[in-house]
Amino acid sequence: MTDWSAHDIPDLSDRAAVVTGANSGIGYCTARELARRGARVVLACRSEERGSAALARLFSDVPSADAALWRLDLGDLGSVREFAERYDRERGGRLDLLVNNAGVMALPHRRTADGFEAQFGVNHLGHFALTGLLLPHLLRTPGARVVTVSSMLHLLGNVDVTDLNSDRHYRRWLAYGRSKSANLLFTHELARRAAAAGADLVAAAAHPGYAATNLQAAGPRLEGRRVRETVMTAATRVVGQSAAAGALPTLYAATAPGVRPDSFTGPRVLGWRGTPTPSPRASWTRDDRVSTRLWEASEQLTGVRYDDTPKPA
């Protein structure tokens, strides 16, 4: 893994990929490099305006790209179902790679269209539902992978299965950390269930370290705190690595040979920046009991059941 870079991505001709949140930052860089290596990529974006601009940029960066923009709002389960139904109709067959990248960070208290706390609803439940609805395509594709982007800030807290929507008390950074722990617990449980079913599917996770994207300033922007937004944006540019560098752990988990199920890949230097390497993670993100309870609650909340991946014994 030493000095692994985007140049080490293997040929992906005829591979089908979906990248959520591909309109900017890490998601855009991930989609671009997959397309550069020949993958047929769907950019799954909430904003059609920003998504269209990203698609035009991608074609400018990679003129030979086989890429398309599809609308997906992970904060609306109806939109998630529409996306999956469109994939059934228009793509069918195989899906080699699903990159669950989109996310929100440290927002003021918000609810999704379905009434879930926004960070838990978008970062975890939306991707849980999307993966489950696309699972038949993944399972019929040999060597398929699901890569879910978490964060080292998962260390802020384990999920509270008795208060998944932070109804008792909302603290934005704690809610964010819990949603990122949920990403890792989802990866852990999906890997366990794929193994129990004998499925040729790798569920892995990655994190970008500290990357210079627009994610950090979103919370202050929503609150109209211009000074805080400006300070956060400037600080991110100074101390963060580029979005292209931040995308490398995701790209490694998505394409490198020998990636293990339930692995967690991040930057080499203090988990902050640098080339991809195995990343430390909180012990609670490999707790079978908690991952099972979260999984069962997620099925109930979203109405999406993973019937082809049985509960491990």
Side-chain angles (χ1 to χ4, degrees):
M1 198 182 290
T2 302
D3 296 329
W4 192 92
S5 75
H7 296 293
D8 296 304
I9 298 172
D11 178 51
L12 301 175
S13 299
D14 301 322
R15 305 287 181 89
V18 171
V19 182
T20 69
N23 58 284
S24 65
I26 294 162
Y28 172 77
C29 293
T30 298
R32 181 190 64 200
E33 296 310 315
L34 295 176
R36 197 188 302 278
R37 294 298 184 271
R40 183 175 59 168
V41 183
V42 173
L43 284 67
C45 305
R46 181 175 61 86
S47 168
E48 293 190 49
E49 179 181 358
R50 292 192 295 270
S52 295
L55 186 63
R57 179 184 172 196
L58 192 151
F59 283 133
S60 176
D61 290 343
V62 187
S64 62
D66 185 348
L69 168 67
W70 291 10
R71 186 177 183 277
L72 171 66
D73 183 353
L74 290 161
D76 182 346
L77 293 177
S79 175
V80 175
R81 290 185 180 277
E82 289 174 2
F83 182 95
E85 289 167 0
R86 182 176 180 181
Y87 200 93
D88 291 342
R89 291 194 311 270
E90 299 187 19
R91 296 294 170 110
R94 67 185 301 138
L95 175 56
D96 297 85
L97 178 60
L98 172 60
V99 180
N100 292 324
N101 163 80
V104 292
M105 173 190 280
L107 301 180
H109 192 267
R110 292 285 192 278
R111 295 282 182 181
T112 69
D114 304 284
F116 306 124
E117 186 277 310
Q119 297 189 85
F120 177 67
V122 171
N123 297 353
H124 170 64
L125 289 178
H127 283 126
F128 178 91
L130 178 67
T131 306
L133 293 169
L134 294 178
L135 188 64
H137 303 287
L138 291 160
L139 292 178
R140 70 170 61 104
T141 306
R145 296 188 189 184
V146 176
V147 177
T148 300
V149 178
S150 182
S151 167
M152 283 305 289
L153 291 181
H154 79 276
L155 294 167
L156 291 173
N158 193 4
V159 298
D160 181 351
V161 293
T162 69
D163 189 25
L164 292 173
N165 283 300
S166 302
D167 292 323
R168 290 198 294 267
H169 181 61
Y170 181 75
R171 294 168 57 191
R172 67 183 69 192
W173 283 106
L174 178 59
Y176 178 71
R178 286 175 169 174
S179 75
K180 296 288 101 178
S181 282
N183 290 152
L184 287 168
L185 285 162
F186 166 65
T187 298
H188 176 68
E189 188 67 11
L190 180 57
R192 293 177 70 225
R193 289 172 181 253
D200 187 7
L201 175 70
V202 172
H207 76 90
Y210 199 128
T213 71
N214 59 13
L215 188 64
Q216 293 87 351
R221 185 181 308 117
L222 284 174
E223 292 181 303
R225 297 187 176 187
R226 297 294 180 84
V227 173
R228 180 175 293 185
E229 178 187 353
T230 300
V231 170
M232 183 66 75
T233 300
T236 297
R237 289 174 178 169
V238 171
V239 303
Q241 63 178 345
S242 68
L248 289 179
T250 299
L251 288 164
Y252 182 91
T255 67
V259 170
R260 297 179 62 83
D262 200 26
S263 57
F264 188 34
T265 304
R268 180 174 301 277
V269 183
L270 301 176
W272 187 280
R273 62 193 307 135
T275 55
T277 194
S279 181
R281 60 196 279 185
S283 59
W284 62 68
T285 65
R286 286 199 170 104
D287 186 318
D288 296 348
R289 182 183 60 85
V290 177
S291 67
T292 297
R293 291 183 67 188
L294 176 62
W295 186 281
E296 292 171 349
S298 300
E299 286 190 328
Q300 182 176 7
L301 291 169
T302 64
V304 176
R305 299 190 60 84
Y306 285 60
D307 294 329
D308 293 324
T309 54
K311 178 179 178 180

